[in-house]
């Protein structure tokens, strides 16, 4: 009956399966370093992926150029005019900025809000090769000072965080991934705190643990609370779509529409360092 | 040469999955070309070789993704074993066999990944979208399986993937 115990193949399969299960547990998403094998694999892929990305841009440019040559020429003239106007406006804004900075210094703010982040711009060169994870690969890695755990944004809002880094590329776990959770707060009221978590769908997030007495309104903006050390406070996450009462009656949950269009994500900004501006004007790293 | 191609194919499949197929996704879902390859290999070479190939291909995918290394190795290894058991009992020349193998393989692999995810991940938010993704992936896998099986079967019987001595 137990003849299979004497078979070499049975033990090979059993040991392999057990070994893989142990490795699986050890290689959780919180690893700070990746193995040499993983680094080698990703570094061999990244030039190819960058090549495909550049090829895609080239093809897009050629096809757009061919299709809309006249339109583009007209647009160029219009843009040049607009550029001149914007240059003038920019000069005025610089004046205003100087004034704002003077006022800020009066209020004991040592630096303006835009100086909070030390940013590194990167291009998205690849996406998750399967449907289970929501990850993207960028063309900047350890050589550019990228490290695991760094938050990633784009002008629209929070994108995710760096999970692993190789020499020339890094993987970003998107906030839409099923494993992601970000401490969040409602921007207008500043009262309601909760956790925004990914649902594995690029168009939906969920805010949980909202106290039942909170006045959450549809359309309100959700920003990072800054309670965790990973994400700086005040980064736009999305807006409330639907509010529902949980079955226990003690907390509410809400569907949040992400601020970032994850299907159109082409460039991102990695926050290498950030300084928190406190109410009294002091800053902490 | 045969082994070199068999080793390069999953590399190429991963590369295509992470770049070109992301542009041509169906409702956000992309095909699992690595799985399709594993299914074909198991169908034509049996459970033993199929399982080995499935584990190796899954491991490659795991190392590329870098999270929960082993999850794809186990799921693809088991899927290849089950599909490989059919080897001597089906008429492999028929493309329908390849397609049914891919559909069954996709369902089995997704189910295994789902169970392994639930047991391994610290947080795994679940809603119906995961099942919708599975359905779309099944459709996409079936679509790419048609031309791939034609090429793979021809190559295995009289092309580059033919086993030495089987002329």
């Amino acid at each position: 009956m137990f003849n299979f115990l004497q078979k070499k193949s049975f033990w090979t399969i059993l040991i392999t399966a057990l070994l893989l299960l142990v490795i699986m547990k050890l290689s959780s998403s919180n690893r700070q370093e990746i193995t040499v094998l993983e680094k080698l694999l990703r570094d061999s892929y990244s030039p190819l992926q960058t090549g495909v990305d550049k090829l895609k841009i080239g093809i897009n440019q050629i096809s757009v150029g061919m299709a809309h040559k006249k339109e583009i020429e007209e647009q160029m003239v219009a843009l040049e005019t607009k550029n001149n106007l914007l240059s003038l406006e920019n000069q005025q804004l610089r004046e205003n900025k100087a004034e704002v900075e003077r006022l800020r210094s009066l209020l004991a703010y040592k630096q303006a809000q835009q100086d909070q982040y030390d940013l590194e711009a990167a291009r998205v060169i690849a996406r998750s090769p399967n449907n289970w994870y929501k990850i993207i690969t960028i063309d900047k890695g350890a050589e550019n000072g990228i490290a695991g755990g760094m938050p990633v944004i784009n002008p629209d809002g929070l994108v995710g965080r760096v999970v692993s880094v190789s020499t020339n590329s890094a993987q970003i776990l998107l906030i839409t991934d099923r494993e992601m959770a970000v401490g969040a707060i409602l921007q207008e009221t500043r009262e309601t705190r909760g956790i925004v978590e990914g649902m594995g769908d690029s168009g939906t997030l969920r805010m949980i643990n909202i106290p039942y007495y909170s006045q959450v309104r549809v359309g309100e903006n959700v920003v990072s609370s800054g309670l965790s050390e990973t994400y700086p406070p005040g980064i736009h996450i999305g807006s409330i779509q639907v509010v529902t009462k949980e079955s226990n009656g003690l907390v509410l949950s809400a569907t949040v529409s992400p601020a970032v269009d994850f299907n159109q994500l082409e460039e991102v900004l990695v926050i290498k360092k950030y300084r928190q501006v406190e109410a009294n004007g002091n800053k902490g790293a | 040469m045969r082994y070199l191609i068999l080793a390069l194919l999953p590399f190429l499949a991963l590369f295509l999955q992470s770049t070109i197929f992301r542009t041509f996704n169906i409702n956000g879902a992309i095909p699992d070309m690595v799985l399709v390859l594993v299914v074909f290999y198991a169908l034509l070479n049996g459970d033993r070789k199929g399982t080995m190939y499935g584990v190796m291909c899954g491991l490659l995918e795991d190392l590329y993704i870098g999270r929960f290394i082993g999850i794809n190795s186990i799921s693809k290894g088991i899927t290849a074993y089950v599909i490989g058991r059919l080897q001597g009992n089906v008429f492999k020349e028929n493309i329908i066999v390849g397609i049914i193998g891919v559909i069954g393989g996709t369902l089995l692999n997704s189910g295994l990944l789902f169970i392994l995810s639930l047991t391994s991940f610290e947080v795994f938010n679940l809603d119906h979208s995961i099942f919708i993704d599975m359905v779309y992936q099944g459709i996409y896998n079936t679509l790419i399986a048609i031309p791939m099986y034609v090429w793979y079967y021809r190559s295995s019987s009289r092309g580059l993937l033919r086993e030495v001595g089987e002329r």
Side-chain angles (χ1 to χ4, degrees):
Chain A
M1 190 183 171
F2 295 104
N3 281 348
F4 65 90
L5 289 173
Q6 285 163 1
K7 278 189 180 173
K8 205 174 136 191
S9 57
F10 169 76
W11 291 105
T12 314
I13 292 169
L14 188 74
I15 292 166
T16 312
L18 286 173
L19 199 70
L20 287 171
L21 282 168
V22 171
I23 297 171
M24 208 165 96
K25 273 285 171 200
L26 292 175
S27 58
S28 73
S29 58
N30 298 323
R31 277 188 310 156
Q32 288 299 312
E33 289 287 321
I34 57 171
T35 58
V36 180
L37 204 61
E38 286 168 88
K39 239 179 216 174
L40 199 73
L41 186 66
R42 287 187 206 167
D43 284 339
S44 61
Y45 266 118
S46 65
L48 294 170
Q49 289 164 334
T50 310
V52 169
D53 184 53
K54 281 186 182 156
L55 192 72
K56 219 165 71 183
I57 295 169
I59 291 168
N60 269 347
Q61 281 171 346
I62 293 167
S63 60
V64 169
M66 301 268 273
H68 309 286
K69 201 183 166 204
K70 204 184 165 198
E71 205 178 305
I72 288 168
E73 279 171 359
E74 283 170 4
Q75 272 181 0
M76 267 178 72
V77 176
L79 284 172
E80 268 174 28
T81 319
K82 203 172 175 182
N83 189 32
N84 291 336
L85 287 169
L86 285 171
S87 297
L88 276 170
E89 201 179 317
N90 200 17
Q91 279 179 23
Q92 288 173 338
L93 286 171
R94 267 191 221 140
E95 281 295 306
N96 291 346
K97 191 189 169 197
E99 193 182 340
V100 168
E101 274 174 355
R102 285 197 300 275
L103 290 169
R104 275 195 175 136
S105 66
L106 284 174
L107 289 166
Y109 275 92
K110 285 182 183 167
Q111 261 180 307
Q113 181 80 7
Q114 60 263 43
D115 295 331
Q116 271 190 75
Y117 307 134
D118 179 6
L119 299 168
E120 180 76 41
R123 269 198 73 81
V124 177
I125 54 168
R127 287 163 185 269
S128 173
N130 65 28
N131 299 314
W132 290 81
Y133 310 116
K134 299 291 170 193
I135 51 174
I136 53 169
T137 308
I138 56 168
D139 64 348
K140 298 277 170 76
E143 260 186 3
N144 309 90
I146 310 287
M150 287 178 175
V152 181
I153 57 170
N154 84 344
D156 296 325
L158 186 63
V159 172
R161 72 177 156 86
V162 178
V163 277
S164 60
V165 184
S166 62
T167 316
N168 302 312
S169 67
Q171 282 196 336
I172 317 293
L173 187 64
L174 302 179
I175 53 167
T176 48
D177 189 273
R178 292 175 198 279
E179 273 193 276
M180 276 292 266
V182 183
I185 190 168
L186 292 181
Q187 193 171 39
E188 285 85 4
T189 57
R190 316 297 296 183
E191 278 175 3
T192 308
R193 285 182 193 277
I195 294 166
V196 170
E197 52 179 32
M199 299 301 294
D201 173 7
S202 54
T204 321
L205 298 166
R206 192 171 64 168
M207 189 170 177
I208 57 163
N209 290 354
I210 308 170
Y212 70 93
Y213 48 80
S214 298
Q215 299 295 313
V216 192
R217 290 189 306 273
V218 171
E220 248 184 303
N221 283 333
V222 180
V223 295
S224 57
S225 65
L227 284 180
S228 73
E229 284 181 10
T230 310
Y231 307 98
I235 299 179
H236 194 195
I237 297 174
S239 54
I240 301 279
Q241 293 294 302
V242 183
V243 183
T244 42
K245 201 170 190 173
E246 289 294 305
S247 54
N248 59 19
L250 296 173
V251 286
L252 305 173
S253 67
T255 307
V256 176
S257 164
V260 175
D261 183 355
F262 290 98
N263 294 324
Q264 304 293 328
L265 204 57
E266 286 184 7
E267 282 106 14
V268 293
L269 298 161
V270 182
I271 302 178
K272 295 206 280 189
K273 266 185 205 162
Y274 70 91
R275 292 166 284 274
Q276 232 160 330
V277 179
E278 290 165 13
N280 60 7
N282 295 328
K283 286 170 193 175
Chain B
M1 187 67 180
R2 177 177 186 259
Y3 289 106
L4 180 72
I5 293 170
L6 281 173
L8 285 175
L9 279 175
F11 270 95
L12 180 69
L14 262 187
F15 172 63
L16 293 175
Q17 277 170 230
S18 63
T19 51
I20 293 161
F21 279 110
R22 274 288 161 204
T23 315
F24 302 105
N25 62 67
I26 298 181
N27 200 34
I30 55 162
D32 192 342
M33 282 180 88
V34 180
L35 176 74
V36 176
L37 276 175
V38 168
V39 167
F40 291 169
Y41 186 84
L43 208 53
L44 298 183
N45 296 281
D47 55 358
R48 200 187 157 105
K49 284 184 179 176
T51 309
M52 271 161 61
Y53 193 61
V55 169
M56 296 312 285
C57 288
L59 194 62
L60 178 77
E61 194 172 343
D62 284 327
L63 287 173
Y64 175 77
I65 294 166
R67 297 167 71 207
F68 304 100
I69 295 166
I71 195 165
N72 279 293
S73 308
I74 295 173
S75 68
K76 286 193 167 67
I78 296 173
T79 306
Y81 176 79
V82 174
I83 299 288
R85 296 290 291 175
L86 302 171
Q87 188 215 12
N89 309 317
V90 290
F91 188 66
K92 286 168 285 188
E93 286 81 358
N94 194 340
I95 194 170
I96 302 293
V97 172
I99 292 169
I100 292 171
V102 167
I103 295 171
T106 306
L107 290 174
L108 181 61
N109 184 63
S110 302
L112 288 165
L113 276 175
F114 179 67
I115 294 163
L116 287 167
S117 301
L118 285 179
T119 52
S120 318
F121 292 14
E122 284 166 20
V123 183
F124 191 75
N125 295 319
L126 196 63
D127 70 345
H128 66 284
S129 68
I130 201 162
F131 300 106
I132 295 171
D133 273 355
M134 282 182 196
V135 172
Y136 279 113
Q137 190 181 55
I139 296 169
Y140 215 154
N141 281 356
T142 311
L143 287 176
I144 62 161
I146 300 167
M148 271 179 78
Y149 193 72
V150 172
W151 169 80
Y152 195 92
Y153 185 77
R154 270 189 196 165
S155 193
S156 297
S157 52
R158 48 180 191 271
L160 288 166
L161 293 175
R162 181 188 55 206
E163 275 197 79
V164 180
E166 280 189 6
R167 283 164 196 262

